[in-house]
Amino acid sequence: MAHRKLEVDNLDAEQQQMAEQLQYLSTRSHDEVAAMVDQKSAAVRAAITRGSSVEALEKALADPPYGRGLEAAQSANAQLVSEIMMATRAQDIGGVVGSLSEDQRDVLLKYIYHGLARPAEFNCGVLLGWHERVAESGGLGSIVRVMSDRKTV
């Protein structure tokens, strides 16, 4: 139930300007970004099949699509990261998170928050388990960096 009739977040000129700037930071077209995500998904699924969650996660977190007009690519990449998290056994999560760099953990946390914002599409129980391990590994600094970063996935 919406408590507001007017979505004030859409009126934030600074947020809209930042989104437009992020769009122009990339030199790739929308089709190139979509093709990149498709190629990435094939490599990630192959790594999942081999049981290499670390390799799959590193590939999925590399070069995430940022900017306006890339919602389809962003959604596909988020679904890809979600598949990896679902395929990883609970006892292996700590090792997988520990093997990631700080930047990769931050991007992973962005995808976790992306999924938690959409409970109908993602398994929030799995996401919360991953969030716990990322927060243990990265500390509060990781959470603050992700919350204050304007580049969302």
Side-chain angles (χ1 to χ4, degrees), residues 26 28-42 45 63-66 69-77 80:
S26 176
R28 296 179 297 223
S29 70
H30 297 301
D31 296 332
E32 289 173 336
V33 172
M36 180 194 71
V37 171
D38 288 340
Q39 290 173 351
K40 188 189 302 188
S41 68
R45 287 192 176 97
D63 200 19
Y66 292 120
L70 299 174
E71 287 80 15
Q74 290 171 338
S75 176
N77 209 49
L80 192 60

